[in-house]
Structure formats: C-alpha cells, structure tokens
Amino acid sequence: MAVLSGGTGTPKLLRGLKELADFAVIVNTAEDIWISGNRVSPDIDSVLYTLAGIIDDEKWWGIKGDTFRTHEMLLKLGWDEFMAIGDLDRAVHIFRSELLRKGLTLTEATRELRKALGVEQEVLPMCDEDVETRIVTDEGDMHFQEFWVKRKGKPEVIDVYFRGIERARATKDVLRVLKSCDFVLIGPSNPITSIMPIFSIRGVKNFLIDKTVIAVSPIVGNEAVSGPAGKFMRAKGYEVSPLGVADVYKDFLDILVVDDADRHLIGKYDEIKVVATNTIMKTAEDSKRLAEFILNLV
C-alpha cells in the first residue's frame, strides 16, 4: 500500500496503520522552508516522528518532551525565527541540511534520517526539486508557513498555487512504489496544500487513475477537523464538505471515507463510493480502529 500524506491528519492514521499493514508513505514537501540555516520539512518530520514513536501527540508536530532553549536564545539575540523549533527537532534539521549541503538529494537525505530514527517503513519525499506552496491573500503573496505560523492563518485567502511544480518530477522511488502497490490511501490531510502538490507532479495522476484509491475526508460537515483546509478549498472553488473533498480527487478517487456525522452523503456521489465510520482520532485506539476499517474495505 502507498499512503499519500501531509502533516497532522495522516500521521494520526499512520499511528494505527503501522501495527496492521505494510506500506510506504509519499509525503508532501511543498511546505518545506529554510529556517535559521536549516531545511525544515514539516510533513516528512511529522511522518518520521510518528513512525519512530517520538511525535508530540498533543501538538502533532515536533518531538515529545522537546525543549526550546536555542529558539528562545535566538529571539533574545534579536533573530526573527518565526517558527518555534525545538532543540531535538533542530538536530534533525541540521542532520538533513548537512546531507543536502554535501550533495545528497532530499530522497537520499530522508532515507538516511529514516534509518537513523529506526523507522522501517519507506518515507519518500514527493520529489527532489524545490516546490513552494504560496498563499495569495488580501495582504500579499506569502509562503504557506508565513501564512499559517507567522500570521496565524488570519489573512483572507484569494488563491493557492505551487511555485516550481512545473519543474518537479516524481522520483524513481515514488514511481516504483506507485507502480507496485496494491492500492493507494490518501490520509485525512489538507486536500489543497498537502495532497494536491503530490498529484500535481507530472506522471503521478496517471498512476493514481490505474489504482484503487481510498481517501479519508478531513472535513466533517462543513468544517475542517484541523487547520486551514476550509479557507483553501473555498479559494480554489471547492465546497467545504466531504463532497468537496471528493471533487478535489474526482479524477482518480474510488472510495471516500466520511465521518458518521456525514452518513447522509452515502450514495450522493455517482462516480465515487461513499462509506461512513467514526473518523475522529483522539487516541491510538481510534487510529487503529479507523485503520482496520480502511483495510477491511479492500
């Protein structure tokens, strides 16, 4: 199985899935950014930390029990580090960045990091080229991290686009996984900024069309479970609802998993099968239960 992942929602599902199935994870890298001299790959790190059992499962980013002394000292020195990076988390960024500076690709650096953290599953960046999610707002065009972290997601969103996506190519590892997998699972990550960059890479959508693809909706009713998905879907012209999520994926989606609260949507989408269960994951048991439900579908 191949899993397409962003941060937060899909890592919650991976927490349960790792006990039940073999899989490889293809991860969004369009939210990556260089901070204080190091490459931060938020979605890759959330996936790695989850699979390594060290994720801070209260925030769903960073490492459990981390301290922030370096970040605090940088602020005292007058350095504007707008992302709060933990000390252990920063060590991971340094490890990755030094490998990149030595000439390794992001895929190669991620492989070394995965091994160092003792993660058995393959974790693959969607591409090795730089792609940057840009948010067009009423206050200007800005990087996703500036919008979400620095500006707290407050500006009005007019559009979303992916700078550099036209130059991006799926790596041979990504293509190998997509070619050989039994089915593809799209986790409950932001459809616009977490998953759309992955299938916007040349060649990826063609592989998805030929596979059985299951997606878990990150929207319950008309609200995102977490994060700014609603703002981004509206900006891209999609309804903020599970059926809006289905519209984002309509070219290749076979089954959409919605929450029990949206059970009334079963049978409402002609081309896509809609099934319902409890999709809210507050505990490890919730994650495992949802993972079992998904595996039973196939």
Side-chain angles (χ1 to χ4, degrees), residues 16-275:
L17 194 63
K18 70 177 183 177
E19 300 181 27
L20 303 170
D22 295 325
F23 56 86
V25 191
I26 300 168
V27 190
N28 169 47
T29 58
E31 295 173 16
D32 289 17
I33 190 170
W34 286 84
I35 296 286
S36 301
N38 294 304
R39 170 77 171 251
V40 179
S41 297
D43 292 353
I44 287 178
D45 290 342
S46 289
V47 169
L48 286 172
Y49 297 163
T50 298
L51 296 176
I54 60 174
I55 187 80
D56 184 331
D57 54 9
E58 293 185 1
K59 301 193 300 277
W60 282 98
W61 57 266
I63 295 174
K64 186 182 301 184
D66 209 348
T67 55
F68 292 83
R69 296 184 67 187
T70 303
H71 173 71
E72 291 161 1
M73 188 62 181
L74 283 169
L75 295 181
K76 287 181 180 179
L77 293 171
W79 183 258
D80 182 21
E81 185 176 74
F82 69 85
M83 295 181 74
I85 298 173
D87 299 318
L88 301 178
D89 194 21
R90 193 183 303 272
V92 170
H93 303 159
I94 293 171
F95 183 100
R96 171 190 298 114
S97 303
E98 285 301 302
L99 292 177
L100 293 175
R101 282 188 273 265
K102 289 179 180 179
L104 273 68
T105 64
L106 184 59
T107 297
E108 292 167 337
T110 303
R111 182 181 301 119
E112 294 302 311
L113 184 54
R114 173 182 66 81
K115 292 177 181 178
L117 290 172
V119 173
E120 296 179 359
Q121 296 84 0
E122 275 197 284
V123 177
L124 302 171
M126 66 182 194
C127 63
D128 285 325
E129 295 81 11
D130 289 340
V131 177
E132 185 177 301
T133 295
R134 303 293 301 183
I135 312 300
V136 182
T137 78
D138 59 341
E139 299 178 17
D141 183 321
M142 60 188 72
H143 191 285
F144 171 87
Q145 301 298 348
E146 183 181 354
F147 168 81
W148 184 236
V149 180
K150 189 172 185 177
R151 304 304 309 279
K152 311 298 183 187
K154 292 179 180 178
E156 179 184 345
V157 179
I158 299 168
D159 196 9
V160 179
Y161 69 97
F162 311 114
R163 179 182 290 171
I165 195 71
E166 67 283 350
R167 299 190 304 274
R169 299 291 181 271
T171 66
K172 59 180 177 54
D173 292 304
V174 166
L175 295 177
R176 168 180 52 78
V177 165
L178 289 176
K179 184 176 181 179
S180 63
C181 68
D182 296 323
F183 71 98
V184 177
L185 171 61
I186 301 176
S189 293
N190 190 315
I192 305 301
T193 55
S194 292
I195 305 300
M196 189 177 283
I198 302 176
F199 70 75
S200 295
I201 294 173
R202 182 179 297 180
V204 170
K205 188 179 287 188
N206 290 336
F207 276 94
L208 297 178
I209 290 171
D210 292 335
K211 296 290 180 178
T212 296
V213 180
I214 300 172
V216 181
S217 175
I219 305 291
V220 176
N222 300 111
E223 297 288 338
V225 175
S226 66
K231 274 192 169 186
F232 297 155
M233 290 181 70
R234 279 190 291 269
K236 298 300 287 184
Y238 295 102
E239 178 183 287
V240 182
S241 73
L243 294 186
V245 174
D247 282 336
V248 176
Y249 303 148
K250 66 181 180 180
D251 290 341
F252 48 79
L253 184 61
D254 297 292
I255 303 173
L256 179 68
V257 180
V258 304
D259 190 72
D260 280 329
D262 293 310
R263 185 173 289 275
H264 62 282
L265 297 177
I266 292 175
K268 296 294 186 181
Y269 206 112
D270 293 336
E271 296 83 9
I272 297 168
K273 180 179 180 180
V274 178
V275 297

Side-chain angles (χ1 to χ4, degrees), residues 276-289:
T277 188
N278 180 1
T279 61
I280 305 302
M281 294 173 284
K282 295 182 179 180
T283 67
E285 290 74 21
D286 291 337
S287 300
K288 187 174 181 180
R289 172 190 42 75

